[in-house]
Amino acid sequence: MLQCNMNPSIGLGRPFASGFAASQHVLGASLQASFFLHRSVIAFQFDSHILPLPPGHRFPIGKYGLLRQRVAADPRGIALRVGGPASEGELALAHEPGYIADVLAGTLSAARQREIGFDWTPALAARAVWSVGATIAAARTALSDGADGGVAASLGGGTHHAGAAGGSGYCVFNDVAVAARLMQAEWHRRHRALLQVAVIDLDVHQGNGTAAIFADDDTVFTFSMHGERNFPFRKSPSDLDVGLPDGCDDATYLDALRPALDELWRRTAERPPGLVFYVAGADPHEGDRLGRLRLTTAGLAARDELVLGQLVERRLPAVVLMAGGYGHVVDTTVDVHLQTLRIAERAQRAWRAVSLA
């Protein structure tokens, strides 16, 4: 496992803004006006499927609706769409049929409901399949040809604690695992070629479910950077894990992230990914109730710019997922998620600029 005290001389890398400015220059003045009228990034939402929770529940279910409302009120290049529910067959690409049946039919044991953190209701099952469906739709969009391909997003997703046989930590189904395997199947059907996938998981909690599902699968590279002493306390090894100490600040975090990304690209050089899932949790923020790290809003912006900048530079289609966020003030979490979407929108503009050059 890599540790947080990386060589500080590595630095933070070239700012995303400079890379985007370079891509603008490539366009030339004659194309820039029409380019900036183009809808830049598609984000899939599913919060119309409400999950009622009892008063005092720690999960901030309201943040999804608030985020959608903020985007709808001021889209600025973000196009909201609704995907559709994942089917039982799609879910079975990553989950055991018996577990899927229990979730859909409401026959989950009390112990399994406690592990997930939600009591079963029909609304829980409905929301779970629509959440996975949004990630599937975003992945298809990112891989698509034409103007929409490149970078796409979901206003939720990143349910990385769910394993093949059960959910955990507010995660019912693992949307990344389902979408990754479905995209591999669809890609092979269309191109008769293997689609390598990478997962960059920067939620504050380790992506144990994703790591366990892909533990013996060399077509998916899993990378998680997280609070070492945070949930889950029994972690499943990813292909690359970086454990951070409590109280990790912006500089320490970013000094750990850059060499970890370098290591990811080094280890996937012979079989580079054709699709990347970026689990961009808001919970490393200093105002998070469950995070235990101390990143500022600006530090999280630098994180997103670094990751998405490298993906655009490498021309790697990317799915951006909001994942966790449990701020003492829910609007702070929504602000961080919205910031991630704005940076994804800039990344898609940069992607589009290179496509038009």
Side-chain angles (χ1 to χ4, degrees), residues 308-353:
L308 288 165
Q310 291 198 6
L311 297 181
V312 171
E313 287 173 0
R314 288 168 172 78
R315 300 294 289 170
L316 299 179
V319 181
V320 182
L321 305 167
M322 299 301 99
Y326 312 89
H328 290 285
V329 179
V330 68
D331 283 341
T332 301
T333 298
V334 173
D335 287 342
V336 173
H337 286 322
L338 183 60
Q339 173 177 264
T340 294
L341 289 172
R342 295 286 178 220
I343 294 170
E345 186 266 339
R346 288 168 52 197
Q348 175 64 347
R349 276 194 278 155
W351 178 288
R352 182 65 176 154

Side-chain angles (χ1 to χ4, degrees), residues 184-267:
Q184 288 180 320
E186 293 182 355
W187 187 267
H188 189 271
R189 184 167 61 246
R190 292 196 308 271
H191 302 284
R192 294 295 186 265
L194 178 66
L195 178 69
Q196 294 286 146
V197 175
V199 181
I200 298 176
D201 190 336
L202 300 186
D203 190 274
V204 81
H205 305 106
Q206 197 244 5
N208 59 319
T210 309
I213 289 171
F214 293 122
D216 299 315
D217 187 344
D218 62 4
T219 70
V220 179
F221 189 96
T222 55
F223 160 44
S224 176
M225 192 165 94
H226 49 264
E228 181 62 25
R229 297 177 58 194
N230 211 323
F231 180 89
F233 302 109
R234 181 173 296 177
K235 297 172 173 58
S236 299
S238 308
D239 292 305
L240 176 62
D241 282 301
V242 177
L244 304 172
D246 289 357
C248 188
D249 62 11
D250 290 349
T252 309
Y253 186 98
L254 294 166
D255 283 346
L257 178 57
R258 179 55 184 270
L261 291 172
D262 288 345
E263 178 70 6
L264 165 63
W265 306 133
R266 185 188 70 79
R267 290 173 58 180

